[in-house]
Amino acid sequence: MFRYIKLYFSYIKQSIIGRLEFKADLFISIFAFFLASASSLGTIYLTISSVPSLIDSNGISWTFWEIGLIYGFSLIPIGLDHLFTDELWRVAYFRVANGTVDRYFLRPLPILFQIIAERFQFDAFGELIVGIFLIVICSLNTSVCWNFQAIFLLIVASVFGAIIISSLKIIFSSLAFRFKKSGPLLQIVYNFRDYSRYPINIFPKVLQFILCFAFPFGLFSSLPFEAILKGTYNCYYLSFIIAGVSILFLSFSMFIWIINIRKYESTGS
């Protein structure tokens, strides 16, 4: 374990050195993610500004500031995942197809470890900054009570939510080892995160099921604020569910990853 921790930080050090060689590009990338996240909030504002609040299927009313809280928090687990596992996108889109993934098979280290340690994505700080900023600003305009159970739930949702996102990326990027490219499929799954920026009970039952069980972005972004703001769920119970689901997804993703890398055949390019 300590060997892998030491190796991981060695990889990260090299990644940081490489990115800092192009400082302008680095800051432009961070600003671009910052701007993209901020503009998405503007879209949400324009969507609901014509009505004083949204009413979900349970008859619960949601204000713009409460939805802003959900949106801001949704960026935290997404940003954490983006920070550490962004290299999986390259595997899904082109590393398997062009044969550059072969080098991972030649080293006496787990392939997934090498891929994840390959890149430390500074761009994610743009998402994290916007997320924290929105949580602070929107909190001042809502009746949210930041007691221990609320903070505990959000910490659990942030960490284990990031694990769920990473697990989904592992599952669908691993399909590239069979089909050479799986990027478009991974992108379709990843796009479900957009729905998690709203209270999931405003959507049809089918979509609610997907956001809670199949691609559970809503489980760790929307439902925590239903618990904190509306008292719909018990915070500790919901924390336990989120942690349990993340462990199940991570275990399943490891299983799928191992199966698919065993089916890998080099492109020879």
Side-chain angles (χ1 to χ4, degrees), residues 100-196:
T100 56
V101 76
D102 290 1
R103 59 192 173 97
Y104 298 126
F105 287 83
L106 301 176
R107 299 169 181 168
L109 289 170
I111 296 169
L112 182 59
F113 171 82
Q114 295 182 66
I115 291 172
I116 291 177
E118 183 85 13
R119 190 176 185 85
F120 186 79
Q121 187 57 275
F122 284 95
D123 302 357
F125 284 113
E127 293 169 315
L128 294 173
I129 291 170
V130 172
I132 294 171
F133 175 79
L134 288 177
I135 290 173
V136 173
I137 295 300
C138 293
S139 294
L140 297 175
N141 292 275
T142 64
S143 59
V144 60
C145 178
W146 292 115
N147 52 29
F148 176 80
Q149 63 179 358
I151 295 173
F152 177 79
L153 173 57
L154 293 189
I155 291 174
V156 170
S158 298
V159 175
F160 289 97
I163 292 174
I164 291 174
I165 298 172
S166 298
S167 298
L168 289 170
K169 288 167 68 175
I170 290 170
I171 291 170
F172 289 95
S173 64
S174 72
L175 295 177
F177 290 107
R178 283 179 179 260
F179 307 113
K180 305 310 177 189
K181 282 189 178 182
S182 61
L185 181 59
L186 174 57
Q187 187 65 62
I188 291 173
V189 173
Y190 198 72
N191 284 344
F192 275 92
R193 78 191 190 282
D194 294 335
Y195 297 105
S196 69

Side-chain angles (χ1 to χ4, degrees), residues 152 206 210 231:
F152 177 79
V206 173
I210 293 173

Side-chain angles (χ1 to χ4, degrees), residues 29-48:
S29 297
I30 294 175
F31 180 74
F33 272 91
F34 179 92
L35 189 62
S37 298
S39 63
S40 295
L41 181 66
T43 301
I44 292 176
Y45 174 77
L46 292 175
T47 301
I48 68 170

Side-chain angles (χ1 to χ4, degrees), residues 8 11 24 26 33 54 57 74 76 106 120-121 127 133 135 153 161 209-210 213 228 240 243 262 265:
Y8 178 78
Y11 271 91
L26 173 61
F33 272 91
L54 288 179
S57 59
S74 72
I76 304 301
L106 301 176
F120 186 79
Q121 187 57 275
E127 293 169 315
F133 175 79
I135 290 173
L153 173 57
F209 178 85
I210 293 173
F213 300 102
I228 294 171
F240 176 78
R262 288 176 178 174
E265 294 180 359

